[in-house]
């Protein structure tokens, strides 16, 4: 038996103003997207925005349903929408933020969204950058879905 460890590198920024112009714009679009969330059950508004290789930004928000599992997270709403509109554009970056009781708040992608992000890396042969808004206005930046989903499912099918 051998005990192995895994190290995950990521960056944290103190505020939006520390980000590059492109990343700041993406996070601002994610913030704006919280306004379109349909969340009668959780009241937790999530906004996501993805930046495509040609610079287009597509946003999405969480869409809930009375039959709870039928709803969809903001990240997948944005990713599927981008892919449906511009299937030939690689996804470069995704930003996500929550909004609860009048304040922007932390949001980190759920497991299913991480799996979906992984598919876009496979599909376009590029690394996806993930920006998460953290409480207090800090931003976490992760380069590559493998840092969010280690030992990702891979198969030659
Ligand atoms: N949710 C997202 O949209 N993205 C996340 O990263 C976490 C959770 C949604 C699902 C549900 O509508 C609500 O937030 C509460 O879980």
């Amino acid at each position: 038996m051998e005990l192995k460890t895994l190290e995950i590198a990521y960056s944290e920024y103190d505020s939006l103003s520390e980000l590059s112009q492109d990343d700041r714009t993406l996070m601002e679009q994610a913030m704006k997207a919280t306004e379109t969330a349909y969340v009668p059950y959780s009241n937790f508004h999530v906004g996501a925005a993805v930046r495509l290789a040609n610079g287009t930004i597509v946003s999405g928000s969480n869409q809930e349903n009375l039959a709870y599992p039928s709803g969809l997270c903001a990240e997948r709403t944005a990713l599927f929408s981008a892919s449906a509109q511009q299937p030939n554009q690689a996804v470069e970056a995704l930003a996500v933020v929550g909004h609860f009781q009048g304040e922007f708040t932390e949001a980190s992608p759920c497991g299913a969204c991480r799996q979906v992000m992984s598919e876009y890396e496979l599909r376009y042969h590029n690394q996806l950058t993930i920006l998460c808004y953290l409480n207090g206005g800090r931003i976490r930046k992760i380069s590559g879905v493998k840092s969010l989903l280690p030992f990702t499912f891979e198969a030659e099918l």
Side-chain angles (χ1 to χ4, degrees):
M1 195 279 270
E2 192 185 346
L3 178 64
K4 298 192 171 190
T5 58
L6 191 67
E7 222 175 350
I8 295 173
Y10 60 92
S11 320
E12 266 192 32
Y13 297 83
D14 281 341
S15 68
L16 278 181
S17 59
E18 275 193 11
L19 296 176
S20 68
Q21 177 68 56
D22 281 355
D23 286 352
R24 186 162 65 244
T25 301
L26 194 66
M27 184 53 84
E28 285 166 353
Q29 289 300 307
M31 290 168 139
K32 192 165 160 41
T34 61
E35 293 167 15
T36 67
Y38 174 67
V39 289
Y41 307 106
S42 73
N43 208 29
F44 186 58
H45 304 243
V46 186
V50 298
R51 186 175 63 240
L52 305 180
N54 64 3
T56 309
I57 293 179
V58 178
S59 60
S61 53
N62 51 336
Q63 302 295 318
E64 297 186 346
N65 189 278
L66 178 59
Y68 287 12
S70 304
L72 198 64
C73 293
E75 296 91 320
R76 273 176 289 164
T77 303
L79 285 166
F80 291 154
S81 175
S83 176
Q85 293 174 51
Q86 300 201 48
N88 300 317
Q89 290 298 316
V91 181
E92 280 189 346
L94 178 149
V96 60
V97 58
H99 189 265
F100 188 63
Q101 295 180 342
E103 274 186 52
F104 286 112
T105 183
E106 196 157 322
S108 188
C110 76
C113 288
R114 294 176 192 207
Q115 181 61 41
V116 167
M117 289 175 199
S118 159
E119 187 74 20
Y120 289 97
E121 285 195 344
L122 269 181
R123 178 172 170 185
Y124 298 112
H125 310 285
N126 73 329
Q127 256 197 2
L128 181 54
T129 296
I130 300 112
L131 297 159
C132 301
Y133 185 92
L134 305 180
N135 289 337
R138 291 172 67 80
I139 312 287
R140 181 190 296 135
K141 181 172 177 171
I142 301 136
S143 300
V145 180
K146 280 200 167 63
S147 292
L148 283 178
L149 192 66
F151 306 113
T152 312
F153 173 60
E154 281 171 324
E156 298 284 330
L157 299 176

